[in-house]
Amino acid sequence: MRNVSDKAPPHEALTVVVAAMIVGTAALMVLGIQPILLGALVEEGRIPAEGLGSAATVEILAIAAGTCIGPVLMKTGYLRAKCAALCLMLAAINFGLTLPGFDLPIVACRAAAGALEGLSLSAAILIMTHNRRPDRLSGIFLGAQTIPQVISAYLLPTEIIPRWGSAGGFTILGILAAIAAIAALCLVDRVELDPTTVNDDLQWSPAAIVISMAAFVQFSGVGAAWSYLERLAAQHGFSGETIGIAISGSLLCQVGGAWLAAWIGGRVGYRFALIAGSLLQAGNVIALAVADQPSWFISASCAFGLFWLAMQPFQIRFAIAIDNSRQLAVLLTPIALVGLSAGPLLLSRFAGATDLRWIFVGSSTLLLASALLYLCASLFQPRGKVIAETVDV
């Protein structure tokens, strides 16, 4: 536990934190525009339609793998140079995909890009997780990084891709990666860890295992519902305008939810927030499935986005209360990414030819299961850790 009166270490300086958020935003940018970008590649004949799912999955899993390996790489020093080099390589891959004569396999390139994104993201996560208020920083970052995704998700299909094709999308990713490389020069060379925990190792206690399972199950449910949201709206017979408003509204509410959690997070118990939030999200997913009016569907979509990111800062607080070394908190990002990619696959067998509502029933079931797992993690949590419920960590 840190004393808030202590002098802040260099990695908590505002310039360093902002630079870390820029790096993280560039690393996660692809998640918001990936379906649009891959769809453009299919239209151009650069990847077959049946290869779209593989390209999407390998990049997300590569990001997850990079965020698992990255903290070990970044903690050894020279973080500034390593991160800048990774961002430059990422920019090179994205710019390379805009060239007409580029003939390397798309899936292999996106897998390499995912690994670089995950490694650079881990630098940002390391800096923000070892801050005095990691939950608040997480909420601010999650909201901020969603804003360019919202803007690009609107501009790509309406303005950029019709004019420049997929090259326009990869140019955006390349420019952001180049900006991140410049921002990385403002990072520190080494993150100063809390001296009281620097030698601690992650102990896979029952509480740590269960909260990891809870996060995975929760994001699996979220990922499944999000992946099929557009198709569900089409099944309901809603217009393209309604679908566009619902999806863009959901993304905007993700920003609001993340920032709301950053603002009030310290005043709300993390265990209550996670259990109640999972239950409300489960009910909200069912509301999406049965909504037969455009206004109801749009409202449910916005609520879905609100809960999605709002619960992550509370996950970080819970993880730090369980594991004082903060290594478990760092691992929550790859766990979330794997869950988001696994959810659609786990529930795809329920995607009937004429009725997608069973997907959302399955998603709701996963979210209910995550609430139960969060409750179990609370029961397994050592009594001495409960102090983190009300004290800044």
Side-chain angles (χ1 to χ4, degrees):
M1 196 72 61
R2 302 184 183 196
N3 187 340
V4 293
S5 64
D6 292 342
K7 183 179 178 180
H11 70 266
E12 294 192 12
L14 179 61
T15 303
V16 176
V17 171
V18 171
M21 289 188 178
I22 293 173
V23 170
T25 297
L28 291 176
M29 180 67 183
V30 70
L31 298 182
I33 65 173
Q34 189 185 61
I36 301 170
L37 206 50
L38 293 179
L41 289 172
V42 172
E43 290 293 327
E44 294 168 0
R46 297 179 68 181
I47 60 172
E50 59 272 18
L52 188 149
S54 299
T57 301
V58 296
E59 183 161 5
I60 295 175
L61 291 179
I63 295 174
T67 53
C68 285
I69 300 169
V72 178
L73 175 66
M74 297 299 173
K75 283 195 294 187
T76 58
Y78 302 103
L79 184 149
R80 182 189 294 119
K82 291 173 182 176
C83 190
L86 290 166
C87 291
L88 285 175
M89 288 189 284
L90 177 60
I93 289 178
N94 287 319
F95 284 131
L97 288 168
T98 68
L99 302 176
F102 192 86
D103 58 357
L104 293 177
I106 298 290
V107 173
C109 288
R110 294 323 302 169
L116 293 170
E117 287 158 350
L119 289 169
S120 58
L121 176 62
S122 67
I125 292 173
L126 193 65
I127 288 171
M128 289 186 283
T129 302
H130 288 278
N131 192 278
R132 297 179 186 226
R133 284 303 306 271
D135 55 330
R136 180 174 294 171
L137 274 188
S138 173
I140 295 171
F141 167 65
L142 289 171
Q145 61 91 25
T146 305
I147 294 175
Q149 294 181 19
V150 174
I151 297 171
S152 298
Y154 173 76
L155 291 177
L156 278 170
T158 58
E159 301 291 339
I160 297 174
I161 287 179
R163 295 185 184 183
W164 296 289
S166 63
F170 287 120
T171 298
I172 291 175
L173 292 177
I175 290 173
L176 282 175
I179 293 172
I182 297 172
L185 299 177
C186 297
L187 299 177
V188 290
D189 265 345
R190 185 186 297 271
V191 174
E192 292 187 13
L193 305 182
D194 186 343
T196 63
T197 65
V198 69
N199 294 319
D200 290 352
D201 293 324
L202 171 57
Q203 300 294 324
W204 285 105
S205 63
I209 294 172
V210 174
I211 192 178
S212 300
M213 293 170 58
F216 173 80
V217 171
Q218 177 190 334
F219 281 103
S220 293
V222 168
W226 179 249
S227 296
Y228 287 92
L229 186 64
E230 183 179 9
R231 289 185 58 194
L232 176 70
Q235 178 180 305
H236 285 318
F238 298 144
S239 66
E241 181 182 5
T242 296
I243 295 172
I245 293 173
I247 293 177
S248 60
S250 181
L251 288 169
L252 287 173
C253 284
Q254 288 182 33
V255 178
W259 285 351
L260 179 64
W263 179 42
I264 69 169
R267 306 182 186 97
V268 180
Y270 53 79
R271 292 172 294 182
F272 170 79
L274 290 170
I275 295 170
S278 297
L279 292 174
L280 289 171
Q281 184 75 310
N284 183 62
V285 168
I286 294 297
L288 282 169
V290 301
D292 57 0
Q293 298 294 326
S295 59
W296 296 2
F297 187 81
I298 290 171
S299 298
S301 296
C302 290
F304 180 84
L306 185 71
F307 283 107
W308 182 342
L309 294 186
M311 288 194 286
Q312 288 183 254
F314 297 105
Q315 288 178 335
I316 289 176
R317 285 178 58 199
F318 200 173
I320 292 174
I322 291 171
D323 168 47
N324 200 34
S325 74
R326 307 197 178 201
Q327 295 180 53
L328 179 60
V330 171
L331 287 177
L332 285 180
T333 296
I335 290 171
L337 291 168
V338 174
L340 287 173
S341 62
L345 179 63
L346 290 172
L347 297 182
S348 60
R349 65 183 63 187
F350 297 110
T354 59
D355 193 351
L356 293 171
R357 287 177 295 182
W358 287 109
I359 288 280
F360 289 78
V361 173
S363 170
S364 180
T365 302
L366 288 173
L367 288 163
L368 289 173
S370 71
L372 179 61
L373 288 168
Y374 283 127
L375 176 61
C376 292
S378 300
L379 298 176
F380 286 132
Q381 185 182 5
R383 288 183 179 273
K385 298 289 188 178
V386 177
I387 191 172
E389 182 81 47
T390 55
V391 178
D392 288 350
V393 292

